Amino acid sequence: MLKIYNTLAREKQVFVPIQPGQVNMYVCGMTVYDFCHLGHARVMVVFDLVARWLRASGYALNYVRNITDIDDKIIRRAQENGETIRQLTDRFIAAMNQDATALGVLRPDAEPRATDYVAQMLDMIGTLETNGYAYVAESHDVCYSVRKFDGYGKLSGKSLEDLRAGERVDVMAGKHDPLDFVLWKHARDDEPAEVKWPSPWGPGRPGWHIECSAMGSELLGRHFDIHGGGQDLQFPHHENEIAQSEGAMDANEQCQFVNYWMHNGFVRVDDEKMSKSLGNFFTIREVLKKFDPEVVRFFILRAHYRSPLNYSDVHLDDARHALTRLYTALKGVAGEVEVDWSEPHAQRFKAALDDDFGTPEAMAVLFDLATLVNRGDAALAGQLKALGGVLGLLQRDAQGFLQAAPEGGLSNAEIEARVDARGTAKKARNFAESDRIRDELKAAGIVLEDGPQGTTWRRA
């Protein structure tokens, strides 16, 4: 029985889909004006795991992850680069997909771009105006009147009295209340024509919050099962989504936008939240120059999705060693293997993931299996590989992973040449030379393993 920690309820709850056997899930994606960083990697990998487990549990899943391709930062970056918005966003969408693929992230069922859903956003803003939640400010922007929505703060646990203008809030002259937020931004003269859409309130473009309400409602319905994203989106973005989406409902409609809200924890560097403002963020591409993509995925999944994830090269090195241990137990296992869910380790694994996607406990099962395989129970190696596959891990040829060359390390050809030279020295009974080559390779992080079939090697 799957349980999910629901941010809205502040507790783990048994997951009951709106339609039996069917799950609709929306996850807030990336704003595409630059390369994705490790915080984005965590969102992609975490909800890829959620999607994989829902499907492995027998649900028919419709997974939507949006792309924000219109935003102040996007406009500014395109102007700085002397290119169109579309050229900029197309380039970084392609880069995002390359990074996601490298990390073993499966593509969502739909990846809507905000600019393709402006009509739906305008319809929702018009409904909010009709329902008394939206008004035109002195600046000609259309704003949402937060105090008119009785449930504002129910996701974040913040009361209106506790909220302060300036905390993730756009302070703008002419708003009825500092907490009110923009639904439609009136066009400025210095903005390019490609970001000016016609509307009943004059030319302009949508605010950030309205896009997810409109796309989620259009693609998954006004009431769906799961909405996810990073912890930093809980307030104000997701709080505002609830206010918009439920404010736009008719009086006779179900008055709850989403049943289960999920938020993954921050990525931290030296115990500080990773952010561009602090200058302590790393792009996925920078990290993948130093570490195998599967190591990065393993590093992300080894921590529970709601806990902070502390990044450092030391922690990535530790993850590499741990993943190497698992792959070492898989030498000789070839082809696809299916999970035997009746086997005790698989039952423990399932119980772990059914408990709010408990990947640390699921990983512990994998290491228990690896220990048994290394002690001689080779029959469990297939189960290890199959369960790893549920997490998007351990599906490569084991020897290929163990011999994968890091940047700046000895190439496979160089290692093979030294192994051959050592073999020649042993045949000539030149054991001093043989030992010297072994020690040289050991110092370079190469482990030699002599057996009846000859010498094999792996990277430590």
Side-chain angles (χ1 to χ4, degrees):
M1 182 181 298
L2 175 62
K3 291 184 178 180
I4 297 176
Y5 183 88
N6 186 356
T7 308
L8 185 63
R10 293 168 185 76
E11 65 178 6
K12 288 182 190 177
Q13 296 181 323
V14 174
F15 177 65
V16 180
I18 296 167
Q19 294 182 331
Q22 170 71 44
V23 179
N24 289 325
M25 179 171 75
Y26 185 99
V27 173
C28 287
M30 274 47 81
T31 302
V32 285
Y33 70 100
D34 206 341
F35 292 114
C36 293
H37 54 63
L38 272 182
H40 299 136
R42 191 175 198 193
V43 172
M44 290 191 286
V45 170
V46 161
F47 287 99
D48 177 67
L49 178 277
V50 171
R52 286 171 182 264
W53 185 241
L54 288 170
R55 290 187 171 118
S57 299
Y59 292 107
L61 173 68
N62 187 9
Y63 174 21
V64 176
R65 189 185 69 214
N66 78 295
I67 296 170
T68 298
D69 63 343
I70 182 62
D71 172 88
D72 288 339
K73 294 185 287 291
I74 291 172
I75 295 170
R76 185 162 54 248
R77 181 65 58 85
Q79 290 176 325
E80 291 170 354
N81 292 351
E83 61 185 330
T84 66
I85 302 292
R86 189 74 184 200
Q87 288 170 333
L88 176 79
T89 55
D90 281 353
R91 188 169 73 255
F92 283 117
I93 288 171
M96 174 191 72
N97 288 332
Q98 290 169 357
D99 291 343
T101 298
L103 293 172
V105 174
L106 304 176
R107 295 289 287 269
D109 297 291
E111 294 178 278
R113 297 172 64 133
T115 52
D116 290 334
Y117 288 81
V118 174
Q120 288 84 348
M121 298 178 208
L122 289 170
D123 285 345
M124 182 170 278
I125 295 169
T127 300
L128 288 169
E129 187 177 43
T130 299
N131 290 355
Y133 292 104
Y135 64 90
V136 180
E138 294 175 12
S139 61
H140 305 294
D141 292 342
V142 182
C143 295
Y144 188 98
S145 182
V146 164
R147 292 186 183 274
K148 290 188 177 180
F149 183 71
D150 290 338
Y152 196 83
K154 62 184 177 182
L155 179 68
S156 60
K158 300 174 183 286
S159 69
L160 291 175
E161 290 69 30
D162 293 337
L163 296 172
R164 296 179 294 111
E167 183 186 9
R168 301 295 301 274
V169 173
D170 181 20
V171 178
M172 179 190 76
K175 291 198 293 187
H176 293 178
D177 188 289
L179 294 175
D180 294 350
F181 57 89
V182 176
L183 298 167
W184 184 258
K185 294 190 174 186
H186 189 72
R188 298 201 314 263
D189 292 339
D190 61 346
E191 290 179 333
E194 63 179 320
V195 298
K196 297 176 181 177
W197 282 268
S199 84
W201 310 280
R205 58 187 170 88
W208 175 40
H209 308 297
I210 193 67
E211 67 176 65
C212 288
S213 287
M215 289 188 285
S217 297
E218 177 71 14
L219 295 170
L220 299 176
R222 289 179 175 269
H223 179 213
F224 56 89
D225 299 290
I226 299 172
H227 195 314
Q231 185 180 332
D232 56 326
L233 300 182
Q234 183 177 335
F235 180 84
H237 184 53
H238 289 165
E239 194 75 71
N240 291 350
E241 274 194 68
I242 291 174
Q244 293 165 156
S245 303
E246 296 183 4
M249 291 180 180
D250 296 331
N252 61 350
E253 284 187 288
Q254 162 70 39
C255 290
Q256 181 160 317
F257 177 40
V258 172
N259 282 2
Y260 301 85
W261 288 85
M262 296 180 64
H263 296 92
N264 65 270
F266 292 125
V267 176
R268 305 177 70 84
V269 179
D270 296 327
D271 291 324
E272 285 191 305
K273 178 179 176 288
M274 189 182 73
S275 70
K276 291 187 177 181
S277 61
L278 293 174
N280 65 347
F281 76 102
F282 300 90
T283 68
I284 296 172
R285 295 187 168 209
E286 289 172 325
V287 176
L288 295 188
K289 288 180 180 178
K290 297 165 63 176
F291 296 97
D292 185 282
E294 191 172 354
V295 170
V296 178
R297 182 182 179 92
F298 177 90
F299 165 70
I300 292 171
L301 291 178
R302 190 162 61 165
H304 191 272
Y305 77 91
R306 286 191 287 115
S307 66
L309 182 67
N310 200 28
Y311 171 84
S312 72
D313 283 1
V314 171
H315 290 140
L316 265 295
D317 275 327
D318 181 66
R320 179 168 57 85
H321 288 302
L323 189 57
T324 296
R325 180 185 163 199
L326 295 179
Y327 264 113
T328 301
L330 290 179
K331 288 190 295 184
V333 179
E336 295 185 7
V337 189
E338 292 189 3
V339 177
D340 176 6
W341 290 108
S342 66
E343 191 269 331
H345 290 90
Q347 292 176 2
R348 280 179 52 208
F349 182 92
K350 181 180 186 304
L353 291 184
D354 275 346
D355 186 9
D356 194 32
F357 308 96
T359 53
E361 294 79 8
M363 292 282 194
V365 173
L366 299 186
F367 284 102
D368 287 348
L369 281 167
T371 297
L372 293 173
V373 172
N374 289 330
R375 287 177 180 171
D377 195 346
L380 288 174
Q383 187 77 317
L384 169 60
K385 180 174 183 178
L387 290 174
V390 175
L391 304 178
L393 299 169
L394 305 180
Q395 299 309 290
R396 292 151 68 179
D397 172 70
Q399 197 67 5
F401 174 85
L402 296 171
Q403 293 184 348
E407 188 171 298
L410 289 174
S411 69
N412 288 12
E414 290 172 321
I415 296 168
E416 295 285 358
R418 284 167 169 77
V419 170
D420 290 344
R422 177 173 174 268
T424 300
K426 287 181 70 177
K427 287 180 181 179
R429 303 186 68 80
N430 186 352
F431 298 117
E433 176 64 7
S434 171
D435 290 346
R436 186 195 68 77
I437 294 173
R438 175 186 282 277
D439 292 342
E440 179 186 65
L441 289 171
K442 183 178 179 180
I446 308 302
V447 176
L448 301 184
E449 296 171 342
D450 295 322
Q453 305 305 316
T455 300
T456 60
W457 62 270
R458 61 179 173 83
R459 298 180 189 273

